[in-house]
Amino acid sequence: MVTAEKQISATHQEIIDNYLGLLAEYVKIPSVSAHTEDAYLIEAAEFTARRFREIGGTVEILTDNPRPLVFAEFKAATTVVNPKTILFYNHYDVQAAEPLNLWKHDPFTLVQENDKLIGRGVDDDKGNLIARLTALRLYLSDHGNLPVNIKFLVEGEEEVASEHLESYLAKYADKFANDLVVWESGTKTATGKLELIGGNKGVATFNFTAHSADHDLHSSLAAVVDSATWRLAQAIATLRDADGRVAVAGFYDNIVEPTDRELELVDALDDNTELLRKAYGLELPYLTDLSGRDLNRELLFQPALNIEAFHSGYEGDGVKTILPADAIAKFDVRLVPGMDPHDVVGKIHYHLINHGFGDIAVEFTLGEKGYRSDMSDPMIANIIETAKDVYGNDKLAVAPTSAGTGPMDMFHEHLNAPIVAFGIGYPDTLDHAPNENIRKVDYLQGIDYIYEIISSFR
Amino acid sequence: MVTAEKQISATHQEIIDNYLGLLAEYVKIPSVSAHTEDAYLIEAAEFTARRFREIGGTVEILTDNPRPLVFAEFKAATTVVNPKTILFYNHYDVQAAEPLNLWKHDPFTLVQENDKLIGRGVDDDKGNLIARLTALRLYLSDHGNLPVNIKFLVEGEEEVASEHLESYLAKYADKFANDLVVWESGTKTATGKLELIGGNKGVATFNFTAHSADHDLHSSLAAVVDSATWRLAQAIATLRDADGRVAVAGFYDNIVEPTDRELELVDALDDNTELLRKAYGLELPYLTDLSGRDLNRELLFQPALNIEAFHSGYEGDGVKTILPADAIAKFDVRLVPGMDPHDVVGKIHYHLINHGFGDIAVEFTLGEKGYRSDMSDPMIANIIETAKDVYGNDKLAVAPTSAGTGPMDMFHEHLNAPIVAFGIGYPDTLDHAPNENIRKVDYLQGIDYIYEIISSFR
């Protein structure tokens, strides 16, 4: 291990410190993609490009849109026969820092406090990229050349739903070609295990709107006039059966069932039941009565229909006797592989019509498919084996998918390589929130891990 | 008719003009009971008291609370054997005038424009009280004494839910004793008929709240965690059956069915179906498929369960993938006689528990019972007969109840007399709204009507 305190060389220490300094400079650039100051995004893109160039990478700044995508390539030594290619996916943009008053320090100044590094982007995603660069630099310093092709795809729109990523992936599929995508970030579990995640769920979001009259009516008319609120509540209630299963015809039809290998991996994960109960104060009937393996299987392999919002009628305190003319509900469905966003929302719309709620308008808003890598793929198997060496055999949480959503399917569709996500976070990293931070020990371990992954191709 | 143009005497004209001047002074006092400037309310109360005193009334200002109640009594001539007593219920407080920018004139200046009188309170309720006073003054001018005892109960809290009225009614029941209560206001229908209303519905208001977790969760947990939003929507949906009837056990149990006389009156009312459709842009399935008599019977004799509001989750634009921890819905039930507010809300709460929704909290907020006068009572029959003379036989809309809610039951419980509501409004009177106005013709006809009611006891 290059960074373990006792055996660290002066050369290695200098490189690590140097890159920590670069991380501080990187954090200082407020490259908030939700803001319109594209100058900071371009500054961050150019900073990123310089980091690749200064250690011998071939760099292209792709400017098909105002927030450029930085692509870098480091070739394996010419002596390597049929070298494999790893593509690291990262991003140089960050979430906004607001609310500023909740930060203990200036969010765009990297602060070291005890064993933590604190600042906007220190985990998501500048810290991850700098850790990966540190490992690459260390490896090149030790060996002079690489046993594997390494590519970096660093976008500037990850925090704004990767608006143009798919068009880049489609257009530059040959350039980005690889044998394994390493995802931008990851975390450790509450029990200190490194998560290695091979997929994510998809999502479909949509709105229902009901409109009953030109304006709100006096509620004395309720004896003869139905309201948007009633209609919407009743329509929503038809979407689930008494057991909480989605009652929409065909909803579960095309689901790709988990393989034995996937079930085996998920069944080896920690029991999350108590964690959920305690972290959120959840009780029956709100928390499922499943637990242990069953809960994890449900969480990772089943789709879910969630109501993000339901708003109708009087918003003030006290009583206002109105019969609301309008009601809106917003939904998301977490999709598992096999489910198509438009198909699912279409089935839900058809369900409404079929149940006498054709007056309710359905608007599709966002969608992406779910994806799970083949966790038996040799490239992923190598990643897992290497992690055992670095983190310990019993310190891994390998899952074929997360419960969350991301654009993995988009990568797979265009680049056709397996994907694995891991990174330097821990449960209190606070991505997107004030006081985003990482533990320095995780950062150094992350550098080790990338170093060993590169070494594994020797 | 005292006010009909052709035969009006100079004396009568002077009295009418004089009282119109007093109405202008009355409107000028911004006696908004929702504001805390009690000085204006006291000024309005004293103004009211002076009006009674100057024409020989015995006046008491009851100051059990900061907004006084003005009580006045005019005795029948001593020669009248067993005189009847009419109690006029009015109020000197008004609604706030905001939004001020929507008024064409200063709201607290009485403006005559074409055939209209415009100003805050010109209908609700200062105009009604001044019309009644004008008639009384005209009668006394013509006859010197009265054939009937007349009492006025003028409160200052009608626009803030008559906060202390019940305690006054209970405490001063003997003082307020009467044979007929004439309610503070009323209107004409869209077809120009004077409404004579003998009752109103009651109301019970309550909230449901669901709380699923300590805070909103990431919606990726929806596969294993139920949300407050789902629970509340599903609980609400159980409250009605497929036909829109309230599905709560016992909800309809104690309803007092309409009498033949009540049905006869309601069946003679105008068909409101097209009016509702056009006024509000209502279509099926929002408007009931009932029409004509059936619609009116449903509107006036049936209770209704309305959702005033449903709020849960993300309030912004676009998508936010949260699983809301909290949801609230606010309801009102319009009650018909026989139904008790607490009993009804108790049954609804019991229904929730019985249907597996015991986790949803139920909070009772407001309640009052419904009331319908006996429309065959001789005092009411006399009011109707007199109206036929003044307005015309086919220009009356006599209903045993309105669809709305008011404190009639409170009067009946303490004073045990029938109640009838009528007044000087028309469909575009805009009570509570900017540009509150009455038609001068309705105002003068209203004076006539009170004059003839007094005369009818000769």
Side-chain angles (χ1 to χ4, degrees):
Chain A
M1 306 296 131
V2 286
T3 66
E5 289 292 341
K6 283 179 194 154
Q7 58 193 79
I8 199 159
S9 72
T11 313
H12 284 176
Q13 190 61 56
E14 194 186 325
I15 290 170
I16 290 164
D17 291 347
N18 181 31
Y19 273 88
L20 263 178
L22 291 170
L23 177 56
E25 286 181 45
Y26 210 11
V27 167
K28 208 179 280 294
I29 307 168
S31 48
V32 178
S33 47
H35 293 177
T36 49
E37 293 99 357
D38 287 336
Y40 287 128
L41 292 164
I42 288 163
E43 185 183 339
E46 285 171 351
F47 179 94
T48 308
R50 276 200 300 281
R51 300 290 77 78
F52 294 128
R53 280 198 201 97
E54 70 195 5
I55 56 172
T58 309
V59 180
E60 285 179 81
I61 299 185
L62 305 176
T63 53
D64 299 52
N65 76 80
R67 305 183 191 107
L69 185 150
V70 181
F71 176 71
E73 192 166 6
F74 297 84
K75 291 270 189 202
T78 50
T79 52
V80 183
V81 182
N82 293 329
K84 295 291 185 187
T85 301
I86 297 176
L87 175 81
F88 289 100
Y89 164 54
N90 288 91
H91 60 93
Y92 62 79
D93 65 320
V94 294
Q95 281 275 329
E98 285 77 8
L100 298 176
N101 61 315
L102 296 185
W103 283 82
K104 290 189 291 182
H105 310 286
D106 170 46
F108 297 107
T109 300
L110 182 70
V111 173
Q112 294 203 38
E113 198 171 83
N114 303 323
D115 60 337
K116 307 279 183 4
L117 296 169
I118 307 164
R120 171 55 81 232
V122 71
D123 180 66
D124 182 18
D125 184 46
K126 290 170 175 173
N128 271 292
L129 178 55
I130 294 293
R132 290 166 184 185
L133 274 167
T134 307
L136 177 58
R137 176 74 185 83
L138 287 168
Y139 191 92
L140 289 170
S141 161
D142 289 351
H143 301 279
N145 57 32
L146 292 171
V148 59
N149 294 321
I150 291 179
K151 296 178 178 177
F152 282 91
L153 186 169
V154 188
E155 70 155 324
E157 300 187 315
E158 201 272 346
E159 303 297 359
V160 286
S162 300
E163 203 177 334
H164 300 88
L165 183 58
E166 180 146 32
S167 62
Y168 280 116
L169 292 173
K171 183 171 175 183
Y172 302 106
D174 291 344
K175 191 189 297 289
F176 300 160
N178 67 84
D179 300 292
L180 176 72
V181 175
V182 175
W183 208 247
E184 41 111 12
S185 66
T187 188
K188 282 183 176 169
T189 67
T191 53
K193 297 178 180 175
L194 181 78
E195 287 191 341
L196 291 166
I197 311 273
N200 56 39
K201 285 188 175 176
V203 74
T205 66
F206 57 97
N207 303 334
F208 284 180
T209 49
H211 175 71
S212 53
D214 290 347
H215 50 76
D216 294 345
L217 309 185
H218 194 270
S219 74
S220 59
L221 289 169
V224 295
V225 179
D226 209 353
S227 73
T229 328
W230 263 118
R231 294 287 296 170
L232 193 57
Q234 290 190 295
I236 288 173
T238 68
L239 296 175
R240 297 210 312 196
D241 65 18
D243 300 325
R245 294 264 300 176
V246 176
V248 173
F251 184 82
Y252 296 97
D253 275 1
N254 304 317
I255 289 177
V256 174
E257 291 301 326
T259 63
D260 289 346
R261 169 69 174 150
E262 288 175 327
L263 290 173
E264 180 195 344
L265 288 170
V266 167
D267 290 350
L269 295 175
D270 290 343
D271 183 349
N272 282 303
T273 318
E274 276 309 300
L275 192 74
L276 281 171
R277 191 187 303 283
K278 286 184 181 151
Y280 306 122
L282 286 165
E283 298 293 341
L284 278 171
Y286 291 108
L287 186 60
T288 172
D289 53 6
L290 301 174
S291 64
R293 295 177 175 191
D294 293 334
L295 184 144
N296 283 335
R297 285 185 176 199
E298 189 79 11
L299 181 61
L300 297 177
F301 296 128
Q302 288 298 314
L305 173 55
N306 174 56
I307 312 171
E308 296 174 357
F310 187 136
H311 292 290
S312 181
Y314 179 56
E315 294 186 46
D317 292 332
V319 168
K320 190 172 185 188
T321 49
I322 56 162
L323 192 148
D326 293 285
I328 183 168
K330 297 184 176 189
F331 300 84
D332 58 62
V333 187
R334 299 287 168 166
L335 307 173
V336 297
M339 300 174 85
D340 174 84
H342 283 279
D343 176 65
V344 165
V345 177
K347 283 170 174 164
I348 290 169
H349 196 169
Y350 188 72
H351 168 97
L352 284 190
I353 293 165
N354 245 9
H355 285 72
F357 293 101
D359 52 298
I360 289 174
V362 179
E363 182 197 8
F364 182 96
T365 48
L366 297 172
E368 61 188 358
K369 293 181 193 172
Y371 170 73
R372 295 201 296 265
S373 296
D374 174 4
M375 298 303 280
S376 307
D377 182 281
M379 290 294 284
I380 289 190
N382 176 54
I383 289 286
I384 296 170
E385 286 308 307
T386 307
K388 287 179 184 169
D389 295 340
V390 177
Y391 291 90
N393 209 354
D394 57 346
K395 286 293 184 186
L396 298 185
V398 182
T401 182
S402 77
T405 295
M408 282 189 179
D409 182 70
M410 189 197 294
F411 273 77
H412 178 74
E413 188 183 329
H414 294 287
L415 308 185
N416 197 29
I419 303 170
V420 65
F422 58 83
I424 58 174
Y426 75 113
D428 292 325
T429 281
L430 302 171
D431 280 359
H432 297 199
N435 305 309
E436 178 178 350
N437 73 97
I438 54 173
R439 296 183 299 208
K440 204 166 169 191
V441 63
D442 296 321
Y443 176 77
L444 295 174
Q445 218 172 7
I447 293 170
D448 269 357
Y449 185 32
I450 299 292
Y451 186 99
E452 296 302 328
I453 288 170
I454 299 171
S455 302
S456 71
F457 289 91
R458 272 221 304 271
Chain B
M1 307 295 131
V2 286
T3 65
E5 289 293 340
K6 283 179 196 157
Q7 59 193 79
I8 199 159
S9 73
T11 313
H12 284 177
Q13 190 62 57
E14 193 185 325
I15 290 171
I16 290 164
D17 290 346
N18 181 30
Y19 273 88
L20 263 178
L22 290 171
L23 177 56
E25 286 182 45
Y26 210 10
V27 167
K28 207 179 283 293
I29 307 168
S31 48
V32 178
S33 47
H35 293 177
T36 48
E37 294 100 358
D38 287 335
Y40 288 128
L41 291 163
I42 288 163
E43 184 182 339
E46 286 171 351
F47 179 94
T48 309
R50 276 199 301 280
R51 300 290 78 76
F52 294 127
R53 279 198 201 98
E54 71 194 5
I55 56 172
T58 309
V59 180
E60 286 179 81
I61 299 185
L62 305 175
T63 54
D64 299 52
N65 75 80
R67 305 183 191 106
L69 186 150
V70 181
F71 176 71
E73 191 166 6
F74 297 84
K75 291 270 189 204
T78 50
T79 52
V80 182
V81 182
N82 293 328
K84 296 290 185 187
T85 302
I86 297 177
L87 175 81
F88 289 100
Y89 165 54
N90 287 92
H91 59 94
Y92 61 79
D93 65 320
V94 294
Q95 280 275 329
E98 285 77 8
L100 297 176
N101 61 315
L102 296 184
W103 284 82
K104 290 189 290 182
H105 310 286
D106 170 45
F108 298 106
T109 300
L110 182 70
V111 173
Q112 294 203 39
E113 198 172 83
N114 303 323
D115 60 338
K116 307 279 184 4
L117 296 169
I118 307 165
R120 171 54 82 232
V122 71
D123 180 66
D124 182 17
D125 184 44
K126 291 170 175 173
N128 271 292
L129 178 55
I130 294 293
R132 290 167 183 186
L133 274 167
T134 308
L136 176 58
R137 176 74 184 83
L138 286 167
Y139 191 92
L140 289 170
S141 161
D142 289 351
H143 301 279
N145 57 32
L146 292 171
V148 59
N149 294 321
I150 291 180
K151 296 177 178 177
F152 282 90
L153 186 170
V154 188
E155 70 155 325
E157 301 188 313
E158 201 272 348
E159 303 297 359
V160 287
S162 300
E163 204 177 333
H164 300 88
L165 183 58
E166 180 147 32
S167 62
Y168 280 116
L169 292 173
K171 184 171 175 184
Y172 302 106
D174 290 344
K175 191 188 298 288
F176 300 159
N178 67 84
D179 301 292
L180 176 72
V181 175
V182 174
W183 208 247
E184 42 111 13
S185 66
T187 187
K188 282 182 176 170
T189 67
T191 53
K193 296 178 181 176
L194 181 78
E195 288 192 341
L196 291 165
I197 311 273
N200 56 40
K201 285 188 176 177
V203 74
T205 67
F206 56 98
N207 303 334
F208 284 0
T209 49
H211 175 71
S212 53
D214 290 347
H215 50 77
D216 294 345
L217 310 185
H218 194 270
S219 74
S220 58
L221 289 169
V224 295
V225 179
D226 210 353
S227 73
T229 327
W230 264 118
R231 294 286 296 170
L232 193 57
Q234 290 189 296
I236 288 173
T238 68
L239 296 175
R240 298 211 310 197
D241 65 19
D243 300 326
R245 292 265 300 177
V246 176
V248 173
F251 184 82
Y252 296 97
D253 274 2
N254 304 317
I255 289 178
V256 174
E257 291 300 327
T259 63
D260 289 346
R261 169 69 174 148
E262 288 175 327
L263 290 173
E264 180 196 343
L265 288 170
V266 167
D267 289 350
L269 295 175
D270 290 344
D271 183 350
N272 282 303
T273 318
E274 276 310 299
L275 192 73
L276 281 171
R277 191 186 303 284
K278 286 184 182 151
Y280 306 122
L282 285 165
E283 297 293 341
L284 277 172
Y286 291 108
L287 186 60
T288 173
D289 53 6
L290 301 174
S291 64
R293 294 177 176 192
D294 293 334
L295 185 144
N296 284 335
R297 285 185 176 200
E298 189 79 10
L299 181 61
L300 297 177
F301 296 128
Q302 288 298 313
L305 173 55
N306 174 56
I307 311 172
E308 296 175 357
F310 187 136
H311 292 290
S312 181
Y314 180 56
E315 294 186 46
D317 292 333
V319 169
K320 189 172 186 188
T321 49
I322 56 162
L323 191 149
D326 293 285
I328 183 169
K330 297 184 176 188
F331 300 84
D332 58 62
V333 188
R334 298 288 168 166
L335 307 174
V336 297
M339 300 174 84
D340 174 83
H342 283 279
D343 176 66
V344 165
V345 177
K347 282 170 175 163
I348 289 169
H349 195 169
Y350 188 72
H351 169 98
L352 285 191
I353 293 166
N354 245 9
H355 285 72
F357 293 102
D359 52 298
I360 289 174
V362 179
E363 182 197 9
F364 182 96
T365 47
L366 297 172
E368 61 187 359
K369 293 181 193 172
Y371 169 73
R372 295 201 295 265
S373 296
D374 174 4
M375 298 303 280
S376 307
D377 182 281
M379 289 295 284
I380 289 190
N382 177 54
I383 289 287
I384 296 170
E385 286 309 307
T386 307
K388 287 179 184 169
D389 295 341
V390 177
Y391 292 90
N393 209 353
D394 57 347
K395 286 293 183 187
L396 298 185
V398 182
T401 182
S402 78
T405 295
M408 281 189 179
D409 182 70
M410 188 197 294
F411 273 77
H412 178 73
E413 188 183 330
H414 294 287
L415 308 185
N416 197 30
I419 303 170
V420 65
F422 58 83
I424 58 174
Y426 75 113
D428 293 325
T429 281
L430 302 171
D431 280 359
H432 297 199
N435 305 308
E436 178 178 350
N437 73 97
I438 53 173
R439 297 183 297 208
K440 204 166 168 191
V441 63
D442 296 321
Y443 177 77
L444 295 175
Q445 219 172 7
I447 293 170
D448 269 357
Y449 184 32
I450 298 293
Y451 186 100
E452 296 303 328
I453 287 171
I454 299 171
S455 301
S456 70
F457 289 91
R458 271 220 305 270

